[in-house]
Amino acid sequence: MISIRNVSKYYGDFKVLSQCSAEVNKGEVVVVCGPSGSGKSTLIKCVNALEPFQEGDIVVAGVSLHDSKTDLTHLRARVGMVFQHFELFPQMTVLDNLCLAQVKVLQRSRAEAEEKGMRLLDRVGLRDHALKYPGQISGGQQQRVAISRALCMDPICMLFDEPTSALDPEMINEVLDVMVELAKEGMTMMCVTHEMGFARRVADRVIFMDQGQIVEDRPSADFFSAPQSERAVQFLSRLLSR
Amino acid sequence: MTGLDFNHLLSLLPALQSGMAMTARITLIAIVVGILWGTLLAVARLSPVRAIAWLATSYVNLFRSVPLVMVILWFFLIVPQLVHALFGNAVEDIRFTSALVAFSLFEAAYYSEIMRAGILSVPRGQFDAGLALGFTRRQTLRLIILPQAFRNMLPLLLTQAIILFQDTSLVYVIGLSDFFGTSYKLGDRDGLLVEMLLMAGAVYFLISFLASQLVARLHKKRIR
């Protein structure tokens, strides 16, 4: 589904990503972790071409990002993305947030879009908040809305960029529960997260990154029981001692 | 000074009213065109295409570096000649049109600075979120970024509108009868120049002061 092939990215002389290669197969849940500044957010943003990269290629559902004929806008419409800071549109109600792209990008009728939106809000337990503005609901609720907004587009896979990092601790679980449920339904997911509990429960594989490189890419059970690299051992012990 | 008695002022009211109507027309049209054109300039200045950004920046710098009164005169003196040279037909009274064009183009430079700050005040993540949902860059700007930029900058846009309202008095240089021009002419005719100019000043002050109070109140309400 997602194939990352020898991707390198530079900011001027600084190499943010160095020869990264990884595969995410259909139905797989892959967690990307690593210390801050390791390039994991940059990598996931490269997957739907929000960040350009200079070398290598990424192929999503058979479509190459570096092929000049590729319609990146069309590709992004099929890939769902959830951001660290939710990025709901503050000037619109929750329901309008869910409907806008359905109507303008997928050309659905307003009624169809609303029905779909309400169904997904129902699923994350926020039906009653449909007519509120993002500023009127909690961070955890906003992130659940953001996930619903991405799901409204019937994505072929979902990208999560630190979806719980900006949340108060007591709100993290309500978001993770939604993500776990999604994983169990067979959604293809690539998640940048520090939530190792989530990784243990649902991830098929863990990709560990440090200093722009993919250091480990292994089944999650193996990664947690016996990380191979010194850096991963340090990273995990730091997380546990927090 | 003979003094301006109330009955005399009342008799001048119709003329003053039509002067104020002229002022209002220029102000409103220049606000609308200035904001639209200014927004386009702001978007162009932030364009990744260097040439477009450079052209827009040059435009803004040019208009911000010359006095408004000169721009008004240019459009009054040069544009008709240009039209005449190009199309050969005699030009009728273009004072109003040339004033509108001058104000709109001039104010757009200032509005574009405000809108540029407004666009930059919207977090980068909002742009990414728009793109991630499958919107084009243009759709993302129009549907997501500009409404927020506009909302964030509303107090500044209104303040600029008040300045514009005061600046319209400069059309006297091309003999257009706006509120100020009308007051001046009537005062000159009746030997009441000082009184009429004081009266006109008071009216400009009152309208501008009340409007800026409203803006301040609006601003306070939004911050809360």
Side-chain angles (χ1 to χ4, degrees):
Chain A
M1 179 68 80
I2 302 170
S3 176
I4 301 169
R5 299 171 186 168
N6 282 316
V7 168
S8 294
K9 177 180 169 66
Y10 303 83
Y11 284 128
D13 282 342
F14 181 64
K15 205 166 188 181
V16 210
L17 294 176
S18 174
Q19 301 281 316
C20 294
S21 293
E23 296 279 333
V24 180
N25 298 313
K26 193 170 184 334
E28 247 183 344
V29 177
V30 172
V31 160
V32 183
C33 63
S36 58
S38 58
K40 50 201 192 308
S41 282
T42 309
L43 181 68
I44 204 167
K45 279 181 180 155
C46 285
V47 172
N48 65 353
L50 288 180
E51 288 274 358
F53 50 93
Q54 286 82 23
E55 290 166 18
D57 198 4
I58 297 179
V59 179
V60 180
V63 180
S64 155
L65 296 193
H66 265 185
D67 185 340
S68 58
K69 287 194 289 286
T70 297
D71 181 352
L72 292 178
T73 303
H74 179 69
L75 182 72
R76 291 195 196 101
R78 299 167 64 205
V79 176
M81 180 140 193
V82 175
F83 297 86
Q84 182 176 2
H85 296 288
F86 331 133
E87 306 299 350
L88 295 180
F89 307 135
Q91 74 273 31
M92 323 175 184
T93 62
V94 164
L95 187 59
D96 285 341
N97 263 280
L98 267 59
C99 291
L100 188 68
Q102 291 190 69
V103 173
K104 301 273 180 185
V105 176
L106 300 180
Q107 321 293 340
R108 286 182 185 151
S109 72
R110 175 79 200 180
E112 203 181 345
E114 280 190 8
E115 203 230 292
K116 174 113 190 164
M118 289 308 285
R119 209 164 54 228
L120 282 163
L121 278 181
D122 214 11
R123 216 180 106 165
V124 297
L126 294 172
R127 172 174 271 276
D128 296 341
H129 300 280
L131 298 179
K132 289 188 181 165
Y133 286 87
Q136 297 171 312
I137 59 178
S138 75
Q141 290 170 331
Q142 286 187 56
Q143 195 59 299
R144 279 143 69 198
V145 170
I147 295 173
S148 313
R149 181 174 73 176
L151 291 175
C152 277
M153 305 295 285
D154 296 320
I156 53 174
C157 61
M158 288 282 284
L159 308 174
F160 292 84
D161 183 10
E162 305 208 27
T164 56
S165 303
L167 292 174
D168 291 337
E170 73 270 19
M171 292 174 183
I172 289 176
N173 279 329
E174 62 187 76
V175 172
L176 288 181
D177 287 346
V178 172
M179 289 169 63
V180 168
E181 200 185 316
L182 207 55
K184 287 186 175 151
E185 283 168 20
M187 175 64 79
T188 308
M189 292 163 67
M190 187 168 171
C191 316
V192 172
T193 181
H194 288 133
E195 294 299 328
M196 291 302 125
F198 170 78
R200 258 180 228 274
R201 269 167 78 193
V202 295
D204 296 299
R205 277 185 300 124
V206 173
I207 292 175
F208 174 73
M209 288 183 74
D210 192 21
Q211 293 172 359
Q213 289 173 320
I214 292 181
V215 181
E216 293 198 36
D217 178 354
R218 299 168 57 218
S220 54
D222 297 1
F223 177 77
F224 288 114
S225 58
Q228 280 173 333
S229 61
E230 186 58 35
R231 287 185 280 186
V233 172
Q234 278 176 8
F235 174 74
L236 283 174
S237 70
R238 262 205 309 276
L239 270 189
L240 287 176
S241 65
R242 264 201 317 206
Chain B
M1 266 203 268
T2 54
L4 179 64
D5 69 63
F6 188 71
N7 283 332
H8 183 59
L9 191 60
L10 215 57
S11 73
L12 302 179
L13 211 54
L16 288 173
Q17 259 173 2
S18 79
M20 187 48 89
M22 169 69 82
T23 296
R25 255 157 77 202
I26 297 176
T27 306
L28 289 178
I29 294 174
I31 288 173
V32 172
V33 178
I35 288 181
L36 289 176
W37 178 222
T39 303
L40 268 176
L41 283 170
V43 171
R45 285 190 74 175
L46 298 167
S47 161
V49 184
R50 288 248 178 89
I52 295 177
W54 184 83
L55 277 175
T57 306
S58 307
Y59 176 99
V60 171
N61 286 338
L62 175 72
F63 274 95
R64 277 160 51 96
S65 310
V66 288
L68 173 56
V69 69
M70 277 180 59
V71 178
I72 296 172
L73 275 173
W74 278 347
F75 278 93
F76 177 59
L77 297 172
I78 300 170
V79 176
Q81 286 187 14
L82 211 67
V83 172
H84 185 67
L86 285 177
F87 303 105
N89 50 347
V91 185
E92 338 79 76
D93 185 5
I94 56 121
R95 285 179 302 173
F96 181 64
T97 317
S98 75
L100 278 184
V101 173
F103 271 102
S104 301
L105 296 186
F106 185 87
E107 290 299 323
Y110 287 83
Y111 279 122
S112 97
E113 284 294 276
I114 297 174
M115 285 308 290
R116 192 170 75 110
I119 292 170
L120 293 175
S121 77
V122 179
R124 161 84 210 181
Q126 290 279 308
F127 200 84
D128 283 347
L131 292 182
L133 281 168
F135 292 116
T136 60
R137 292 178 64 87
R138 191 174 297 184
Q139 281 177 316
T140 305
L141 261 175
R142 186 166 52 83
L143 298 169
I144 295 156
I145 306 299
L146 286 179
Q148 292 183 59
F150 195 81
R151 216 175 53 153
N152 292 350
M153 290 297 127
L154 196 58
L156 282 177
L157 292 170
L158 291 173
T159 303
Q160 184 64 31
I162 296 170
I163 298 171
L164 169 58
F165 164 70
Q166 295 161 6
D167 284 351
T168 53
S169 58
L170 289 173
V171 296
Y172 85 92
V173 296
I174 56 172
L176 212 53
S177 295
D178 72 324
F179 184 71
F180 174 74
T182 306
S183 307
Y184 187 93
K185 281 177 208 160
L186 292 174
D188 203 28
R189 184 194 69 188
D190 302 339
L192 293 167
L193 194 52
V194 174
E195 289 85 346
M196 286 301 281
L197 289 187
L198 281 174
M199 183 279 304
V203 171
Y204 277 105
F205 171 78
L206 206 67
I207 293 176
S208 301
F209 182 73
L210 288 177
S212 62
Q213 291 299 305
L214 272 174
V215 174
R217 187 176 292 184
L218 180 83
H219 191 48
K220 218 187 264 170
K221 208 160 114 188
R222 287 161 45 82
I223 283 174
R224 254 189 294 134

